[in-house]
Amino acid sequence: MKKLFTLAVLLLFVSQIFSQRFRAPAYPLITHDPYFSIWSFSDELNATPTKHWTGKDQPLIGILKVDGKFYKFLGDVEKLYDAIIPTADEKPYDVMYTESEPLGEWTKINYDDKSWQKGAAPFGDNASTAKTVWTSHDIWTRRTFNLSDISDDKLFLKLNHDDNAEVYLNGEQVYSYVGWLNKFIYVPVSDEVKRKLVKGKNVLAIHVANTAGGAWLDAGIVKEAKNTTSKLLLQAEQKDVSINATQTIYTFACGPTDVELTFTSPLLIKNIDLLARPVSYISLKVKSNDGGAHDASLYFAASTALAVNSNAQTVVANGYTAEQLNILTAGTKEQPVLQKKGDDLRIDWGYMYVAVPARDKAVQYITPAKNAFNAFLNDTYRANTGTIEGTQLMLNAVMYLGRIANEPVNKIMMIGYDDLYSVQYFGQNLLPWWKDGKNTTIEKELSKAFTDYGPVIIKCKEWNTKLYNDALKAGGEEYAKLCVLAYRQSIAAHKLVKSPDGETLFLSKENYSNGSINTVDITYPSAPLYLAYNPDLLKGMLNGIFYFSESGKWTKPFAAHDLGTYPQANGQTYPEDMPVEEAGNVIILTAAIAKAEKNAKYAEKHWVTLTTWANYLLKEGFDPANQLCTDDFAGHLARNANLSVKAIVALGAYAMLAEQLGKKDTAELYKKSAAEMVTKWMELANDGDHYALTFDNKGTWSQKYNMVWDKILGLKLFPKEVYDKEIKYYLTKQNKYGLPLDSRKTYTKSDWIIWTATLADNNNDFRALVKPVYQYVIETPTRVPLSDWHETTNGTQVGFQARSVVGGYFMKLLDK
């Protein structure tokens, strides 16, 4: 074990040669699945709290004590507030409300609201989450409260609303916003408004207009909690940060010592069992930088925010020793397993784990977040691992490192999560992949992770180098860096489970969109990464869609859009079908699997279903009716030339599969039909020096990214002159941060740009189209996990983040 550990450390040092040093929009730290996903949203790791990909604080904190001085190198505590009048996530409350516009000065203290109704907050249109259901266009609320004295502290309005809101405090407007929120915000209350508060009765009056989909209101007033950060705490100086496929590596100067901090999520795509293990490593290497010897101790803490959706949820935490590890664990008291569904949610069932080797004799203890590291700074910490119940707790560990000199001292910690059940699949709750039913426990997984640390780090280093070199060879340095950044994000936007029949299910969450599970037009752009390195995972992205149809639960002659809303995969919840889009997607990807595996066995298993969908495309695919495609944010479009390309290529792909299965007559029929469609397509879409957005709207253009599969699958349906004409035209339409999606807007999808660029027949044109995407990634002012939908003029995020579709960046690797 010691030899492997030493070798792993050596290789970790060497691997930094291959680490990619560039500014990322956000930096992946702990990345496993849509719920267990922690990032740094700032260039300096110790500048802000670490966060879940949704932007919710999930603090990890690291401090190194060197010769009596304290250097914070990891994270920060989240800003905490004390309630003056609590919101419903903290404490139940009632308000007076009306859904008819009130007369008179309804925002004033003495307004007579006796004719209004009384209801419990929050208000919303979803009966499963709102205490009072509100479905009308408008709501007016009045919440009276009493103050015994007026606080000198800075006050904030704590508010979450959907849609437009106006807020008044004792008749004075505090806030006005046209739009909607998806989380609480904290709005400073001005001194002028604060002076309106009086001892005794006050009123918080709010009007919300529900203008389009969704409805919500919850509000209160808070003050910032007293800052307990000691003046003894210094900021470590960050020297460097680098990213590779499985690791993010930071270096710091902590006074007379240097620290190398590595986050490793061993998502080795060809090793499914390891990929599914819900454990990440945090490793630390400390050495002297001045030739002297220095006394050092390490403090590490993780917030119980990792195990809650809302900070107001009560958690239960404790500690114990098992499998050569000292372990701290926490989870909600309520444990609402798989009860919530949607997009902007964090897991609030199951349990988080922080584990350190027992041999390191760490002192572990549990504290409120407000006192996160004070005991360490004041040298008053003591072991405390008994059961503690409360909100916003911290799991703390202190390790004495001894005298630090020129020989590095290495320590590892592990963070894991046991979600108990991962998803619901047509009414049945499914265990995570790693729970094989053979007395597997999270403690054993943590123990295996610890025992395997040396070999795992070696494998990660080898994989980091291979993936980077593969991408470098395919598309150059900037392209390789994009692939490196995309790798963990794409994988961690999925959950790996087995179906009741034992089939692999690799289910995506449509992050920062509508929260759909196993969306077909998310699988489609994500697919290249998995085709390049493990087609079994792509099958896992398709198996549920095939089952939905073949079980008789989905009876339409094209593929479903999704299987539900994450984590509940009980059937499509998206309100509208995408017939040509989804039928074409699944047929093309099934053909791509056949090409990758050099056989059509997977297609043969689902041939009846594929045939139904191919027949639909034969009838309806060439000249699509007014409908949505994967770019549904751009709206409905009839006679969509790029969607037509998808149908044509799908029919050609179906013909390819038929030929591989010995169905020669079928192959000839569909190949002939596809070829005839190409000729007609070139006539209808032709717009001089390019091809138009739609068949009937000249003077327009669009990226024909679907055409790349004609090239990748070797179908040879479209003449090379079509590719060349489009690429030449695209090169004249680029903005600073990329090629727009089409002529309607200046925004783009970066995954589609890579697909479009892959149509180029030379490296210069490919790199010319990719370079602005790279510039977007390193210069975007929007600091969130990589967004695939951005504005090409200024590099800002338009929508979407942390999505699996960046797996599409690997398309160029398939161009062989």
Side-chain angles (χ1 to χ4, degrees):
M1 175 69 185
K2 288 183 179 179
K3 289 182 179 179
L4 284 171
F5 184 89
T6 302
L7 181 58
V9 171
L10 176 63
L11 285 171
L12 183 58
F13 175 75
V14 174
S15 73
Q16 290 196 52
I17 297 171
F18 301 97
S19 297
Q20 305 316 306
R21 291 173 171 82
F22 65 101
R23 174 191 176 276
Y27 298 83
L29 305 178
I30 309 292
T31 48
H32 288 275
D33 61 46
Y35 287 139
F36 192 24
S37 181
I38 306 172
W39 299 67
S40 173
F41 281 39
S42 56
D43 291 323
E44 294 185 346
L45 181 62
N46 55 2
T48 59
T50 54
K51 301 175 184 291
H52 185 257
W53 68 259
T54 57
K56 183 74 170 179
D57 288 350
Q58 292 189 335
L60 305 176
I61 300 174
I63 300 170
L64 188 68
K65 179 182 179 182
V66 183
D67 295 337
K69 293 184 178 181
F70 300 88
Y71 300 89
K72 178 166 64 69
F73 58 86
L74 167 58
D76 201 356
V77 292
E78 59 185 322
K79 191 170 287 188
L80 300 173
Y81 300 89
D82 293 326
I84 303 295
I85 56 171
T87 48
D89 69 321
E90 298 174 293
K91 185 178 179 180
Y93 69 89
D94 293 332
V95 301
M96 303 301 291
Y97 75 96
T98 180
E99 296 176 65
S100 301
E101 185 171 2
L103 299 174
E105 296 180 317
W106 64 276
T107 66
K108 299 293 182 68
I109 295 175
N110 295 323
Y111 180 81
D112 185 0
D113 58 17
K114 291 179 181 177
S115 64
W116 292 22
Q117 299 179 74
K118 186 176 184 179
F123 292 78
D125 61 349
N126 186 336
S128 67
T129 53
K131 293 291 186 181
T132 300
V133 175
W134 160 48
T135 57
S136 64
H137 188 274
D138 293 90
I139 191 167
W140 291 260
T141 69
R142 285 173 49 85
R143 180 182 183 184
T144 58
F145 59 97
N146 289 301
L147 294 177
S148 58
D149 58 67
I150 309 301
S151 172
D152 292 331
D153 296 308
K154 182 68 177 175
L155 300 185
F156 297 82
L157 170 69
K158 179 182 176 183
L159 176 69
N160 189 3
H161 66 84
D162 185 356
D163 294 294
N164 309 342
E166 302 168 286
V167 182
Y168 301 85
L169 186 58
N170 291 351
E172 289 291 322
Q173 190 171 81
V174 182
Y175 173 85
S176 178
Y177 182 74
V178 175
W180 54 273
L181 306 175
N182 59 7
K183 61 184 177 183
F184 281 111
I185 61 170
Y186 296 84
V187 181
V189 176
S190 70
D191 291 339
E192 181 181 355
V193 173
K194 184 180 175 182
R195 284 193 288 269
K196 296 290 184 178
L197 290 172
V198 296
K199 291 183 179 181
K201 183 180 178 181
N202 296 267
V203 65
L204 184 67
I206 303 174
H207 169 222
V208 179
N210 178 23
T211 59
W216 193 258
L217 174 59
D218 190 9
I221 297 175
V222 299
K223 64 180 180 179
E224 193 168 338
K226 296 295 184 183
N227 187 352
T228 59
T229 302
S230 170
K231 293 180 181 179
L232 295 173
L233 191 60
L234 305 172
Q235 286 287 88
E237 181 186 357
Q238 184 172 307
K239 295 290 191 179
D240 194 19
V241 57
S242 58
I243 301 172
N244 55 43
T246 62
Q247 298 168 310
T248 302
I249 305 165
Y250 293 88
T251 57
F252 297 90
C254 295
T257 62
D258 288 338
V259 172
E260 181 178 287
L261 178 68
T262 302
F263 295 87
T264 304
S265 293
L267 304 183
L268 299 180
I269 197 169
K270 296 185 178 183
N271 185 336
I272 292 183
D273 290 336
L274 182 57
L275 181 145
R277 181 188 292 165
V279 179
S280 277
Y281 303 105
I282 301 176
S283 57
L284 197 81
K285 180 170 70 175
V286 187
K287 66 177 182 178
S288 173
N289 62 26
D290 66 357
H294 304 280
D295 194 70
S297 296
L298 170 67
Y299 168 89
F300 175 77
S303 169
T304 57
L306 274 68
V308 302
N309 179 53
S310 164
N311 283 342
Q313 290 179 284
T314 299
V315 297
V316 179
N318 60 45
Y320 57 97
T321 299
E323 304 284 348
Q324 303 178 49
L325 299 170
N326 291 336
I327 299 170
L328 292 173
T329 182
T332 60
K333 183 177 181 180
E334 181 187 7
Q335 289 296 307
V337 178
L338 296 171
Q339 290 183 21
K340 294 182 178 69
K341 63 179 180 178
D343 184 30
D344 186 18
L345 293 173
R346 275 71 44 197
I347 193 168
D348 60 1
W349 70 90
Y351 298 89
M352 63 176 287
Y353 292 81
V354 177
V356 296
R359 70 187 183 200
D360 288 332
K361 299 179 180 179
V363 177
Q364 294 182 301
Y365 56 102
I366 303 165
T367 62
K370 293 179 183 179
N371 306 319
F373 40 73
N374 283 358
F376 178 60
L377 300 182
N378 299 324
D379 198 26
T380 57
Y381 63 91
R382 299 292 182 270
N384 173 20
T385 57
T387 299
I388 294 180
E389 185 175 310
T391 60
Q392 295 179 276
L393 304 179
M394 294 293 285
L395 309 184
N396 311 277
V398 176
M399 286 182 273
Y400 179 60
L401 304 185
R403 299 287 287 175
I404 303 296
N406 294 329
E407 185 69 22
V409 173
N410 299 283
K411 296 295 178 184
I412 62 169
M413 298 155 285
M414 295 174 291
I415 295 186
Y417 205 99
D418 180 0
D419 56 8
L420 306 180
Y421 289 95
S422 300
V423 298
Q424 188 174 90
Y425 185 70
F426 296 101
Q428 183 169 338
N429 293 351
L430 300 185
L431 295 168
W433 180 277
W434 60 270
K435 286 190 176 180
D436 57 9
K438 299 176 182 177
N439 195 32
T440 303
T441 65
I442 188 65
E443 289 82 5
K444 290 182 178 179
E445 289 299 299
L446 288 164
S447 178
K448 283 191 287 185
F450 173 55
T451 303
D452 294 347
Y453 175 73
V456 166
I457 293 299
I458 292 170
K459 291 176 183 177
C460 286
K461 182 265 176 183
E462 292 171 347
W463 179 246
N464 297 338
T465 303
K466 174 176 171 50
L467 184 140
Y468 177 74
N469 286 338
D470 286 352
L472 180 68
K473 181 179 178 181
E477 182 181 3
E478 292 176 342
Y479 173 69
K481 290 179 178 180
L482 290 174
C483 290
V484 166
L485 183 60
Y487 179 77
R488 271 179 281 169
Q489 174 171 312
S490 183
I491 294 173
H494 296 84
K495 188 65 181 183
L496 186 62
V497 295
K498 292 179 182 177
S499 76
D501 296 328
E503 282 195 318
T504 299
L505 296 174
F506 194 49
L507 303 174
S508 64
K509 179 178 181 182
E510 195 168 342
N511 288 344
Y512 214 75
S513 179
N514 64 353
S516 290
I517 187 170
N518 206 194
T519 304
V520 174
D521 55 286
I522 293 295
T523 295
Y524 179 66
S526 304
L529 168 59
Y530 307 96
L531 285 166
Y533 293 117
N534 192 345
D536 283 342
L537 288 174
L538 179 54
K539 293 177 189 176
M541 298 155 79
L542 297 178
N543 285 338
I545 296 297
F546 279 121
Y547 170 78
F548 194 18
S549 286
E550 293 163 0
S551 66
K553 301 177 190 297
W554 177 263
T555 58
K556 297 180 182 180
F558 45 80
H561 171 272
D562 60 76
L563 291 185
T565 302
Y566 198 93
Q568 299 176 12
N570 296 321
Q572 180 173 312
T573 53
Y574 193 76
E576 186 172 346
D577 297 329
M578 298 184 188
V580 174
E581 174 71 37
E582 312 303 18
N585 289 343
V586 181
I587 293 172
I588 289 170
L589 295 183
T590 303
I593 290 170
K595 185 174 189 296
E597 297 188 329
K598 297 181 173 57
N599 69 73
K601 291 180 181 178
Y602 187 69
E604 186 174 28
K605 180 179 178 181
H606 301 291
W607 190 249
V608 173
T609 305
L610 291 168
T611 299
T612 298
W613 296 343
N615 287 336
Y616 178 84
L617 293 179
L618 196 61
K619 297 176 183 177
E620 306 289 346
F622 171 71
D623 195 351
N626 191 39
Q627 61 190 277
L628 294 174
C629 70
T630 184
D631 304 317
D632 52 355
F633 52 84
H636 294 76
L637 197 63
R639 313 199 74 189
N640 183 336
N642 186 45
L643 190 58
S644 176
V645 169
K646 177 169 290 185
I648 294 168
V649 172
L651 292 171
Y654 179 80
M656 181 193 89
L657 292 169
E659 187 170 352
Q660 289 182 5
L661 293 172
K663 303 177 185 294
K664 294 185 178 180
D665 292 344
T666 300
E668 290 177 5
L669 171 64
Y670 280 84
K671 187 173 183 178
K672 179 181 178 182
S673 297
E676 292 171 350
M677 289 180 182
V678 168
T679 301
K680 191 174 180 181
W681 185 94
M682 292 174 63
E683 294 172 358
L684 291 175
N686 187 41
D687 197 9
D689 59 353
H690 69 284
Y691 295 94
L693 170 67
T694 65
F695 290 149
D696 58 352
N697 194 1
K698 305 305 179 186
T700 62
W701 63 273
S702 65
Q703 291 188 47
K704 308 301 187 301
Y705 54 80
N706 288 318
M707 198 175 290
V708 72
W709 290 108
D710 182 44
K711 183 179 184 183
I712 298 302
L713 297 176
L715 301 176
K716 298 181 180 179
L717 295 170
F718 288 86
K720 184 176 179 297
E721 67 190 64
V722 175
Y723 301 177
D724 293 345
K725 183 158 73 169
E726 285 291 273
I727 290 294
K728 183 178 180 181
Y729 186 77
Y730 296 148
L731 290 169
T732 70
K733 293 297 179 180
Q734 293 202 100
N735 290 325
K736 181 177 181 180
Y737 294 112
L739 177 67
L741 181 65
D742 58 47
S743 53
R744 291 174 292 178
K745 300 281 186 178
T746 55
Y747 59 55
T748 195
K749 290 281 275 85
S750 55
D751 47 342
W752 297 149
I753 291 180
I754 305 300
W755 290 30
T756 296
T758 303
L759 289 170
D761 66 357
N762 64 83
N763 287 333
N764 288 338
D765 287 349
F766 174 81
R767 293 177 184 180
L769 288 164
V770 169
K771 186 176 183 62
V773 177
Y774 178 74
Q775 291 303 122
Y776 150 68
V777 167
I778 65 173
E779 295 178 8
T780 177
T782 310
R783 308 309 301 272
V784 297
L786 184 56
S787 170
D788 54 286
W789 182 18
H790 73 270
E791 176 55 59
T792 62
T793 58
N794 58 22
T796 58
Q797 174 192 30
V798 178
F800 307 154
Q801 66 194 48
R803 301 207 308 166
S804 69
V805 302
V806 293
Y809 288 6
F810 288 78
M811 179 61 83
K812 183 64 174 173
L813 273 70
L814 305 180
D815 184 17
K816 299 176 180 178

